[in-house]
Every structure is written in structure tokens, then in C-alpha cells.
Amino acid sequence: MKNAVLSRGGAVANASAPDGRTRDRVAQLLLERGAATAAELGADLGLSPAAIRKHLDAMLAEHLVEVRERPPRGPRGRGRPAKAFVLTAEAREGFPHFYDGIATAALRWIAEHGGPEAVSAFAAAQLAALEERCRSAMRSAGDDPIARAEALAEALTAEGYAANATAIASGGQLCQHHCPVAHVAAEFPQLCDAETAVISRLIGTHVQRLATIAHGDGVCTTHIPGPAREKTAITVRTG
């Protein structure tokens, strides 16, 4: 990624200054080596020990690297242990991952050996814990479907779904602006079906999924029907 620098929490921040590019190179070297001393990093990058130390100190302050002692080399282990630097788990999160590819391959294997029903069962099992957490967060929401949808939106937002609920003329809408499994769900709609079933159970009424990010829409949108209107009986008199 051009002009990017790892920041705390695995996020990637823009950095137009040379310092940002150098820190990226330091991080990449530590990823490849596993551990390295300041002298080794300086030699690889063609930088002075003082320059490398400046970058490592900044990365230490942001919890991107940590120090480990490396036993001295040579007979009888003479000399002080060298300080080697390694990436923290937070820093590693800033590098590309391939979770979607692994998840898709796993579901293909399940579909091949167990059929579509096995994929549906897997999807339901994966959402069980999320459903229970949301149910706990919605205990005080009452019975009104729209109020429950608003409470569910708050619970889903806390889970990273960036959700909101709004009232409309025909009832309500629950919108999710982020889908953690969108790429996988594009091939396996059972994931969306299982999520829709969870929403229905949590809100306490039948719902209809109108759009999904997995199918190319900008937002996952679920319609929540309003309460049925009472029909007025009309008596027709004759004679």
C-alpha cells in the first residue's frame, strides 16, 4: 500500500513523509525475519543505528513492536544479550489476511460432502452466539417490533455491523452498512438466510430481506412489517 504506515490496533494510516515509508519497510523486514536487532535492520535498510532507533522507539510507543532478548553468540555466551525486536499481534493485523478465501474453501468442502443443508446448519451454528448476545442486549426493548428493531440495531452496531433502524409507512427498516462475511455470502446465500432468520426471531415477527451487500447492494436492508390494521366490518342493509 503506497505511503501507508502501520498504526496501533492494526489500522493503516496515511503517511506522506519518508518516515512512514521507512516504518513500513521496518515492519515488513520484521514480518519476514520474525525477529531482528536494530543493527540488523539498519544494515538491511542502509540506515544508521540512531535512525533505526528513532523508528523502533516510535513503534514501541504504539505497541507495534516488542523487545526480546537474544542469547549472545560465541563461546560460553559472553557479552550482553542482544535486544531483538518482533512485531506484536496488533501490528500483524495490519498486514493482508486471507480469511475469506479459507472460509469459502471450508464451505465448499462442507457443501461437497454434506450438501446445501449442511451449509445451512453450519451458518445457523455460527450465528447462535451472536443471536444470544443480541437477545441479552434487547431484554428491555419490550414487545413492539419497531422498538425491538431499534434495540437490535444498537446491538448489531456494537458487533461491528454499523446498523440503524428507521420507521417507515409500512412498518420499519433495519439497515446494516457493513457485512463481515460479504465475500463468502456472495457464493453461499445460506449465510444471509441464517442471519435473516436470526433477525426475525429477535424482533419477534416475520421480516423480509430486501437487499444485501453480498449481492452487490450498498446496504443490507430488512423490512419489518407494521402491525396489521383492523378491518372495519361494513353492514349492507337491503330492503
Side-chain angles (χ1 to χ4, degrees), residues 101-180:
I102 293 174
T104 301
L107 284 173
R108 286 173 182 165
W109 190 94
I110 292 173
E112 180 181 351
H113 292 81
E117 297 80 6
V119 176
S120 296
F122 173 83
Q126 288 298 298
L127 288 171
L130 173 67
E131 180 175 359
E132 188 53 38
R133 290 195 300 272
C134 289
R135 191 180 302 280
S136 297
M138 296 169 61
R139 293 196 188 282
S140 60
D143 296 327
D144 178 66
I146 307 304
R148 293 188 65 80
E150 292 173 348
L152 176 56
E154 291 184 12
L156 288 173
T157 295
E159 296 283 344
Y161 286 79
N164 68 282
T166 56
I168 58 176
S170 59
Q173 275 191 170
L174 175 69
C175 295
Q176 297 157 250
H177 300 270
H178 175 65
C179 175

Side-chain angles (χ1 to χ4, degrees), residues 145-234:
I146 307 304
R148 293 188 65 80
E150 292 173 348
L152 176 56
E154 291 184 12
L156 288 173
T157 295
E159 296 283 344
Y161 286 79
N164 68 282
T166 56
I168 58 176
S170 59
Q173 275 191 170
L174 175 69
C175 295
Q176 297 157 250
H177 300 270
H178 175 65
C179 175
V181 295
H183 291 92
V184 183
E187 182 172 344
F188 295 96
Q190 292 97 326
L191 295 172
C192 293
D193 295 341
E195 187 178 272
T196 303
V198 166
I199 293 172
S200 178
R201 288 194 296 270
L202 290 172
I203 291 178
T205 186
H206 169 74
V207 300
Q208 182 180 8
R209 186 60 69 89
L210 302 179
T212 63
I213 296 172
H215 291 159
D217 301 300
V219 180
C220 293
T221 305
T222 305
H223 179 249
I224 302 141
R229 297 180 180 179
E230 295 182 1
K231 294 182 179 180
T232 304
I234 300 177

Side-chain angles (χ1 to χ4, degrees), residues 32-48:
E32 294 170 0
R33 283 174 166 265
T37 65
E40 290 168 342
L41 292 169
D44 283 347
L45 296 175
L47 296 173
S48 68

